[in-house]
Amino acid sequence: GHAGLALSIGLGALLNAGWLLAGLRQRGLYQPSPGWAAFGLRVGVACAALGGALFWAARGIDWLGLQAHPWQRAALMAGVLTGVAALYFAALMALGMNLRQFSRRGR
């Protein structure tokens, strides 16, 4: 139920952003700076690693079985989220990305 709704909203947002990008590029109003493809590839690989770890956690941990232990379940969830965040940023750094690139200010 709710997973399908989240998926449809996410896919709709991606489709809308893709149409916006195509329209802006077609009219000559937007030209990506050099390096965007490499940046997108690095972020995509890091996102795939994060998604794989979350998939493993979803399949490998009996979340429903932990309903009787809410504090243990919350601690495990916090640990999983902390771990995948660390994995994401470690993957970005391993791919040669400087994390300051995420905080660049406009010129």
Side-chain angles (χ1 to χ4, degrees):
H2 67 280
L5 178 61
L7 179 64
S8 68
I9 290 171
L11 291 176
L14 284 174
L15 185 64
N16 190 22
W19 281 338
L20 177 62
L21 175 64
L24 289 173
R25 290 198 69 195
Q26 185 178 25
R27 290 185 176 100
L29 299 173
Y30 175 72
Q31 182 64 33
S33 300
W36 270 106
F39 177 82
L41 181 63
R42 289 176 179 146
V43 170
V45 168
C47 285
L50 182 143
L54 286 175
F55 181 78
W56 170 83
R59 298 287 182 198
I61 299 171
D62 184 14
W63 295 104
L64 295 178
L66 290 170
Q67 281 182 332
H69 308 284
W71 290 107
Q72 183 182 5
R73 186 177 178 181
L76 191 55
M77 176 63 78
V80 167
L81 293 177
T82 301
V84 297
L87 174 67
Y88 175 75
F89 289 111
L92 286 177
M93 287 189 292
L95 292 168
M97 181 169 276
N98 183 352
L99 298 182
R100 288 189 207 144
Q101 288 178 289
F102 283 105
S103 64
R104 277 184 42 188
R105 303 201 192 287
R107 296 177 204 157

